[in-house]
Amino acid sequence: MTIAHVLGFPRIGRKRELKFALENFWRGEIDEAELQVVGQTLRREAWGWQNKAGLDFVTVGDFAWYDHMLNASALLGCLPARFGFDAQALSLKQYFELARGNAAQPAQEMTKWFDTNYHYLVPELAAETRFDGGVEWLFDEVADALAIGYRVKVALPGPLTFLWLSKSKAAGFNKLGLIARLLPAYVRILQKLAAQGVEWVQLDETILGLELPPDWLAAFAPVYRELAKAGPQILLATCFESVSDHAALLHDLPVAGVHLDLKRAPQQLAAFLPGWPQGKVLSLGVIDGRNIWAADLDATLATLEDARDVLGERLWIGSSCSLLHVPVDLAQERELDSELQRWLAFARQKLDEIGVLKRGLEQGRDAIAAALHASQKAVQSRHNSPRIHNPAVAQRLTGLQPSDAERSSAFPQRQAKQRARFQLPPLPTTTIGSFPQTPAIRAARAGFKRGTLDEAGYVVAMQSEIRLAVEKQEQLGLDVLVHGEAERNDMVEYFGEQLAGFAFTQFGWVQSYGSRCVKPPVLFGDVARPQAMTVGWTRYAQSLTQKPMKGMLTGPVTILQWSFVRDDQLRATTCKQIALAIRDEVVDLEAAGIGIIQIDEPAFREGLPLKRRDWTAYLAWAVEAFKLSAAGVRDDTQIHTHMCYSEFNDILPQIAALDADVITIETSRSDMELLEGFGRFAYPNEIGPGVYDIHSPRVPPVEEMLRLIEKAAEVIPVERLWINPDCGLKTRGWTETEAALGNMLAATREARKALV
Ligand code: GLN
Ligand code: ZN
């Protein structure tokens, strides 16, 4: 008998039922009872699938109306005091106010879940925070699953991970100090679950994959000694990284089992086997919860068979991490060809893979011969398919010289030539690329996609949007214009759709946060650019104005980061292929007379590995890829890059190493604090710190932006300073956009008088 399970399952539903129900509820179109029915149906559906696939447990506790960390806060009873809510009487309406804000209070802060594209709500703790218990939702869900007759494993964030991921406004606040109060709350929850008949509780201590300070590591033993007494058996789950540094700690920890992510870190198994304690479960996460490729069942089974020889009944098998990060069901895809379909597995298919592996272990390989055969064929076809391997791309990669990633001259020479060419005023003004995506724009794009608008009609529609954007920018008096990106639904999808090596799903949605889902492209093969992607629109835009028109591209690291990426070669190699495709576009734009080209890299920092000691390697290839995409142009062509809010201060040397002529960054939300790092580091090239926040419709007054410009000028020499908003304007309306940009230009005129 080998226990099979998953660490968690997507909660959005096959057709994003949760999203639509939530949004209907928020608009007041359905009531709470109707919303509850949708939630229960989705939970029961997920349990049913796990059960049907032959898994031994259904996992309960992975469902959340908005976010699992918010659910944990509501369960523990530690809600931000500023809302004044009673945790034990928390209504769904109040729960959503914590997530989305209300008239009096902004929402809880949201941030990325480790290195995934999921975002969680950051618990707000203070010295006086209490964990006196909150909502009973979890216990109701458990009761529901038990009543159906399932064997239940409950999954919850572990107490130390919960604390680590929370924050406090008070300076010097020691989060870890709250463990004394948090621990009894966990004990009470575990006791209650035991009383309900729950045998196993999975506590996700995902932070063990990070490099933790000694006091946090030292907290594990005493904390788990207490938890072990509470009743249910505890499976301490890790994922996203190797935890081999902590093999001794995990060996001795008084928990009933430990889960390892063998997809991200297969080598770590050696640190745990042999010598794993008798009577302690080792759960091996062999099915990828972060990517959508079908497993190689034969190779996976071989690994598990070896482990079973050592572990016997102590072996559990499961997903590498929660399946939250993959789409729900491949079976509903209608437009993927059968070959691609065979290469993929979404959450439901992954359940089946785990079920098959369990059967293979228990009944022998013959019992799963058909599945093994099909898997082997899929693996071979993926390996050999001409769709994946493009010899021209491979050749180009091997032929690369180090000089291909370098501009011909150093920045000072380029700067002189660019100044002579563009004759821009001091403190030049620009925007980040997109302008408001009006309903008319969306309708035209949708019509073209559906076939109700023909190509000629579509071109006319987009050109008139471009003309409108150019006219408005001229009227406002901006110095470097953009075409507005009306033709783009999404900054990665737009390029993926035109590049070879990408495929798109119809229902491959993954939760980003709350009701927001993303549908990442599937990057399955060698990347090449069959033809120019943006030149036509950009050239048209340039034809309408004497001012320089900035070409707008998405960078290789961001395209990689926001896609499901092939796992049969290094990410660095795939990134380099994308870089070469973007480079071709850059060169074509230059040849078409476009003198300024921006390569957006908002996801550059997101790619950083969880362990700091791995940063150097990532940064080396990420910087290289960006430079490769940018370096094919003449000295007098100006390369911009753009990054959104992310604390750059720890990677400033690498940002400088990108060697973009100009970088625009989001700074206004931090009141220019971010910029101080750039000043201290003496960032060598030109820089445009955003002077207003585009995330809200608020129009900042002239004085406010002037003050930010002056603040920026204190750390960056005026000769190297640009003026621009924080990010693209596509989510804004035209009225506020024109007003805000008008004020930005007025502030710039003042600043030119005062500073130049
Ligand atoms: N050029 C893009 C835009 O303006 C940049 C978006 C981003 O940084 N996320 O929309
Ligand atoms: Zn941005």
Side-chain angles (χ1 to χ4, degrees):
M1 169 88 177
T2 304
I3 299 281
H5 70 131
V6 288
L7 297 204
F9 198 82
R11 42 201 174 231
I12 54 173
R14 306 166 81 219
K15 292 254 159 74
R16 288 182 292 161
E17 291 90 335
L18 183 61
K19 170 196 178 68
F20 299 117
L22 286 173
E23 290 171 0
N24 287 341
F25 179 71
W26 295 336
R27 279 194 301 263
E29 289 164 16
I30 61 170
D31 63 18
E32 182 167 333
E34 289 167 285
L35 181 62
Q36 289 287 358
V37 170
V38 174
Q40 184 177 55
T41 308
L42 288 171
R43 287 190 299 269
R44 288 181 174 178
E45 192 172 55
W47 300 334
W49 288 331
Q50 292 169 53
N51 180 60
K52 196 159 152 255
L55 272 50
D56 295 277
F57 292 114
V58 300
T59 297
V60 180
D62 51 356
F63 180 83
W65 291 112
Y66 199 97
D67 163 51
H68 54 265
M69 283 292 282
L70 180 59
N71 270 44
S73 301
L75 171 68
L76 292 161
C78 55
L79 304 174
R82 60 193 174 88
F83 280 89
F85 293 158
D86 172 359
Q88 282 159 21
L90 188 76
S91 69
L92 257 187
K93 189 173 157 290
Q94 290 172 324
Y95 171 94
F96 291 126
E97 287 174 23
L98 295 164
R100 308 172 71 223
N102 60 25
Q105 292 294 333
Q108 280 185 225
E109 192 186 305
M110 195 165 62
T111 195
K112 271 166 69 77
W113 182 248
F114 297 90
D115 60 351
T116 72
N117 286 331
Y118 179 79
H119 300 75
Y120 74 96
L121 289 162
V122 182
E124 281 173 35
L125 305 180
E128 56 284 355
T129 298
R130 306 195 56 88
F131 306 90
D132 293 337
V135 296
E136 302 277 314
W137 306 342
L138 174 68
F139 309 109
D140 297 341
E141 291 167 18
V142 167
D144 192 30
L146 289 169
I148 299 173
Y150 296 132
R151 203 173 157 195
V152 168
K153 179 200 67 184
V154 169
L156 288 174
L160 290 160
T161 293
F162 182 83
L163 276 187
W164 177 270
L165 295 177
S166 63
K167 63 154 199 186
S168 163
K169 288 219 168 65
F173 177 73
N174 170 25
K175 291 189 282 190
L176 188 53
L178 284 178
I179 192 68
R181 235 178 277 153
L182 179 60
L183 189 53
Y186 266 85
V187 170
R188 279 194 301 272
I189 291 167
L190 293 181
Q191 284 170 340
K192 220 158 157 174
L193 291 170
Q196 283 187 289
V198 172
E199 299 160 64
W200 281 90
V201 175
Q202 164 194 321
L203 293 176
D204 294 321
E205 291 290 10
T206 316
I207 58 168
L208 282 170
L210 311 175
E211 289 154 324
L212 289 177
D215 55 338
W216 283 82
L217 275 175
F220 274 85
V223 163
Y224 277 85
R225 215 172 298 128
E226 282 308 306
L227 294 177
K229 294 183 212 152
Q233 316 221 58
I234 293 174
L235 178 73
L236 183 145
T238 70
C239 62
F240 303 152
E241 257 298 352
S242 167
V243 292
S244 60
D245 291 354
H246 312 309
L249 169 78
L250 291 168
H251 181 282
D252 294 342
L253 211 59
V255 291
V258 169
H259 175 87
L260 304 175
D261 182 340
L262 287 198
K263 211 56 210 178
R264 265 295 170 85
Q267 358 52 263
Q268 67 171 326
L269 186 56
F272 295 86
L273 289 183
W276 189 245
Q278 286 306 322
K280 197 171 194 169
V281 163
L282 194 61
S283 166
L284 301 185
V286 289
I287 295 299
D288 200 344
R290 292 287 295 273
N291 216 334
I292 53 171
W293 306 105
D296 179 342
L297 290 178
D298 180 71
T300 310
L301 188 55
T303 305
L304 293 174
E305 284 162 346
D306 289 349
R308 196 219 6 222
D309 289 345
V310 183
L311 293 167
E313 297 269 297
R314 289 171 296 157
L315 171 67
W316 284 22
I317 60 170
S319 55
S320 62
C321 59
S322 168
L323 298 179
L324 176 68
H325 311 288
V326 294
V328 178
D329 190 4
L330 182 66
Q332 54 187 343
E333 294 297 329
R334 292 284 167 266
E335 283 168 16
L336 287 178
D337 60 80
S338 59
E339 186 180 37
L340 251 167
Q341 191 113 7
R342 245 190 300 150
W343 297 346
L344 303 178
F346 292 178
R348 279 195 71 184
Q349 289 65 41
K350 287 169 188 287
L351 295 177
D352 291 336
E353 291 179 336
I354 295 169
V356 165
L357 289 167
K358 171 184 161 76
R359 257 193 297 137
L361 283 168
E362 289 175 351
Q363 300 166 27
R365 285 181 169 247
D366 286 349
I368 59 162
L372 282 176
H373 181 70
S375 166
Q376 199 177 5
K377 283 192 69 174
V379 169
Q380 275 168 4
S381 109
R382 212 183 133 201
H383 192 72
N384 300 327
S385 173
R387 290 166 73 184
I388 290 195
H389 307 286
N390 180 337
V393 172
Q395 218 165 50
R396 215 174 148 195
L397 237 59
T398 41
L400 281 175
Q401 304 297 321
S403 61
D404 290 330
E406 304 299 332
R407 301 285 297 267
S408 333
S409 308
F411 175 69
Q413 283 97 295
R414 304 198 305 264
Q415 189 185 37
K417 290 188 197 170
Q418 291 163 18
R419 291 222 158 126
R421 176 175 178 188
F422 299 115
Q423 305 277 331
L424 296 172
L427 300 173
T429 53
T430 191
T431 60
I432 305 304
S434 56
F435 273 117
Q437 293 246 331
T438 57
I441 294 179
R442 282 179 221 280
R445 266 202 328 256
F448 182 48
K449 208 159 194 174
R450 252 185 281 116
T452 50
L453 180 65
D454 66 8
E455 172 144 17
Y458 176 69
V459 170
V460 168
M462 290 300 117
Q463 287 189 338
S464 81
E465 295 297 341
I466 292 174
R467 199 172 328 111
L468 180 89
V470 171
E471 276 165 16
K472 294 209 194 254
Q473 293 172 84
E474 296 256 19
Q475 275 157 20
L476 285 161
L478 283 147
D479 300 308
V480 172
L481 311 195
V482 297
H483 78 289
E485 301 181 26
E487 78 288 6
R488 302 182 193 179
N489 42 348
D490 173 275
M491 63 186 293
V492 169
E493 192 172 41
Y494 179 76
F495 290 94
E497 278 174 345
Q498 301 184 75
L499 291 168
F502 284 85
F504 291 85
T505 63
Q506 286 169 281
F507 305 102
W509 297 99
V510 179
Q511 187 176 26
S512 172
Y513 62 86
S515 70
R516 272 297 186 95
C517 301
V518 294
K519 190 153 68 65
V522 178
L523 202 178
F524 66 89
D526 287 344
V527 177
R529 189 201 65 144
Q531 60 201 21
M533 303 181 284
T534 65
V535 174
W537 302 123
T538 316
R539 191 196 276 128
Y540 175 75
Q542 181 67 84
S543 76
L544 303 173
T545 177
Q546 299 298 315
K547 300 244 172 107
M549 177 60 56
K550 182 163 64 166
M552 201 58 58
L553 304 173
T554 303
V557 180
T558 298
I559 292 180
L560 184 85
Q561 203 54 34
W562 291 350
S563 300
F564 283 121
V565 179
R566 59 192 288 190
D567 59 356
D568 60 338
Q569 67 182 18
L570 293 175
R571 283 170 76 83
T573 308
T574 305
C575 195
K576 217 179 252 192
Q577 293 183 352
I578 308 170
L580 288 177
I582 298 298
R583 180 188 181 97
D584 292 345
E585 188 71 13
V586 170
V587 169
D588 279 357
L589 282 169
E590 178 183 66
I594 304 302
I596 303 184
I597 300 162
Q598 177 172 312
I599 306 170
D600 289 324
E601 285 289 22
F604 188 81
R605 197 182 194 285
E606 286 182 27
L608 280 174
L610 292 175
K611 289 189 174 43
R612 244 173 206 266
R613 59 177 182 245
D614 301 327
W615 281 19
T616 318
Y618 162 76
L619 287 166
W621 63 255
V623 168
E624 161 97 2
F626 178 88
K627 287 170 68 181
L628 208 49
S629 71
V633 291
R634 300 190 310 257
D635 283 353
D636 68 350
T637 295
Q638 188 171 67
I639 297 290
H640 289 219
T641 190
H642 165 74
M643 292 180 190
C644 302
Y645 185 81
S646 44
E647 292 128 29
F648 305 109
N649 289 353
D650 45 4
I651 55 166
L652 273 174
Q654 288 80 11
I655 303 271
L658 297 176
D659 199 26
D661 298 302
V662 182
I663 183 171
T664 55
I665 53 168
E666 180 184 331
T667 37
S668 76
R669 274 198 284 186
S670 71
D671 200 30
M672 292 281 159
E673 261 168 46
L674 205 81
L675 206 58
E676 278 156 30
F678 280 80
R680 250 185 320 219
F681 168 74
Y683 182 78
N685 300 6
E686 301 188 6
I687 178 165
V691 296
Y692 82 86
D693 179 12
I694 55 85
H695 297 89
S696 109
R698 177 173 174 269
V699 175
V702 178
E703 307 71 56
E704 191 177 310
M705 290 197 248
L706 181 58
R707 194 182 58 80
L708 286 177
I709 297 172
E710 284 166 350
K711 229 173 149 178
E714 285 167 19
V715 283
I716 306 285
V718 178
E719 314 79 66
R720 287 198 269 117
L721 206 51
W722 286 65
I723 310 297
N724 45 264
D726 265 344
C727 191
L729 296 158
K730 71 180 197 182
T731 56
R732 298 272 61 88
W734 268 115
T735 320
E736 74 240 27
T737 295
E738 288 189 81
L741 288 176
N743 286 358
M744 183 182 95
L745 285 150
T748 306
R749 285 190 293 271
E750 294 292 314
R752 283 175 183 155
K753 275 190 250 154
L755 299 169
V756 183

